[in-house]
Amino acid sequence: MSKRFARGLVVGKFAPLHLGHEWLIRQAQAQCEQLFLLSWARPELPGCEPERRAAWLRLRFPELASWVVTPEWVEQRRAQGLQLPDLPDEQEPDAVQRQFVAAFCLAELGQPVDAVFTSEAYGDGFAAHLARCFGRPVQHVEIDRARIQVPVSGTRLRADIHGLRQYLAPQVYGDFVERIALLGGESTGKSSLALALAETLGTRHAAEYGRELWEEQGGVLAYEDLLRIGRTQVNREQSLAGQCRRYLVCDTTPLTTLFYCRELFGRAEPELERLAERHYQHLFLCADDFPFVQDGTRRDETFRRRQNQWYEQELQRRGWPFTRLTGSPMQRLEQVLRHLGRSPAS
């Protein structure tokens, strides 16, 4: 059975893309043979940069054609011969915004649309403007203006992204989770601290895949295993982030994998070098200031000291700020909590 409209359009900032947007898009999708998604924001909103918004749309609606446009994109398309006006600022009149959408449809899509879908009062005027530009009817389909299905807005979410995370798909919320990375030599208490921190913060932790693989393979790692470890660790973080509550505690990072790769094989794949540049919002280096504990898998105290010196040098060389954790496990936990602005008793 054919659908109600041949071509439909949904326009939004999607900053961030929340479940209300997704509800609207799926309602529109059910009524259109082809549905197009268009997003822009001027000014851009922190945490919702164009690359992120484009990634969210691809992840959540891979079957739909979507555009996240910027002034640079407009310039690029003009250089290729398309007739497009300047990308409007948020403060510009409705007519200017609507004219850009009309020009986008004719220049980029190569055809008008039959319907626009919104949850806003301006929808009728928007459709009427497009109809005048196209010289043919364009229908406005209003979807849940009262926000009954999903009672949230982008403005509310941006004000309390962690408190309202239930209105975001995990793939979207994961981009707002702050990653806490623990570095340090063998027997510096990282894994115990990761567990304690995750429990105290009421969130998840990403365990060290490298150790799991090392044990699985009887203590033997091949050169290619190190890149596999780096990739798997990053994938593990990404899959866990959407299940977290503000923070993800990372027992290790690809920087550690890079250390072992150079230590064991004297070289590393370029991809592993790139993974080692991965950004973490909170970096902690666990000091080697308590007795070394041999669990049958570790080397020795001299190696631990050299490992910690390497981390210090690498972090300083990269200009990455970090906090050195010292003292007992409880004292280290308290130091992290103070850094995060949380009371140890909270």
Side-chain angles (χ1 to χ4, degrees), residues 83-121:
Q83 298 294 313
L84 287 168
D86 289 341
L87 189 64
D89 186 273
E90 184 177 54
Q91 303 302 321
E92 294 193 66
D94 285 349
V96 177
Q97 316 277 344
R98 294 164 180 173
Q99 191 60 36
F100 178 83
V101 176
F104 171 87
C105 291
L106 296 176
E108 184 68 18
L109 305 183
Q111 55 194 348
V113 295
D114 306 305
V116 290
F117 296 77
T118 83
S119 300
E120 309 293 342

Side-chain angles (χ1 to χ4, degrees), residues 52-255:
R52 277 192 173 180
R53 304 202 315 274
W56 295 335
L57 290 173
R58 283 196 303 272
L59 279 167
R60 301 299 295 167
F61 300 98
E63 71 281 17
L64 297 181
S66 60
W67 288 258
V68 177
V69 300
T70 63
E72 293 74 23
W73 180 88
V74 170
E75 284 302 319
Q76 185 182 40
R77 299 303 278 154
R78 282 174 175 166
Q80 294 168 342
L82 268 63
Q83 298 294 313
L84 287 168
D86 289 341
L87 189 64
D89 186 273
E90 184 177 54
Q91 303 302 321
E92 294 193 66
D94 285 349
V96 177
Q97 316 277 344
R98 294 164 180 173
Q99 191 60 36
F100 178 83
V101 176
F104 171 87
C105 291
L106 296 176
E108 184 68 18
L109 305 183
Q111 55 194 348
V113 295
D114 306 305
V116 290
F117 296 77
T118 83
S119 300
E120 309 293 342
Y122 61 69
D124 288 342
F126 179 28
H129 188 103
L130 294 184
R132 287 194 293 277
C133 293
F134 298 156
R136 53 182 285 178
V138 176
Q139 189 161 337
H140 171 226
V141 181
E142 185 178 291
I143 306 286
D144 193 26
R145 195 201 300 187
R147 307 293 197 276
I148 293 171
Q149 288 293 333
V150 185
V152 78
S153 68
T155 302
R156 283 185 59 209
L157 267 165
R158 291 192 296 275
D160 186 13
I161 199 79
H162 301 293
L164 297 173
R165 62 189 181 282
Q166 70 270 25
Y167 295 115
L168 298 174
Q171 297 99 322
V172 176
Y173 178 63
D175 282 341
F176 295 94
V177 169
E178 299 172 34
R179 289 159 174 78
I180 298 171
L182 302 179
L183 297 172
E186 296 175 348
S187 184
T188 53
K190 298 188 304 299
S191 297
S192 299
L193 180 59
L195 283 167
L197 260 178
E199 183 178 353
T200 302
L201 296 171
T203 190
R204 304 289 303 271
H205 86 285
E208 186 181 3
Y209 174 69
R211 185 183 180 95
E212 295 172 15
L213 185 65
W214 186 86
E215 291 176 350
E216 184 182 312
Q217 297 185 167
V220 177
L221 291 176
Y223 175 69
E224 56 270 21
D225 287 332
L226 276 295
L227 178 55
R228 176 184 169 192
I229 290 169
R231 287 173 175 165
T232 304
Q233 196 68 38
V234 169
N235 290 337
R236 180 173 285 188
E237 288 178 16
Q238 290 172 335
S239 64
L240 284 168
Q243 308 166 32
C244 289
R245 182 179 178 186
R246 182 163 184 167
Y247 301 106
L248 171 64
V249 183
C250 303
D251 191 347
T252 186
T253 80
L255 186 64

Side-chain angles (χ1 to χ4, degrees), residues 7-11 35-38 101 105 113 115-117 126 130:
R7 292 174 296 278
L9 177 68
V10 175
V11 180
L35 182 67
F36 307 108
L37 308 178
L38 171 61
V101 176
C105 291
V113 295
V116 290
F117 296 77
F126 179 28
L130 294 184

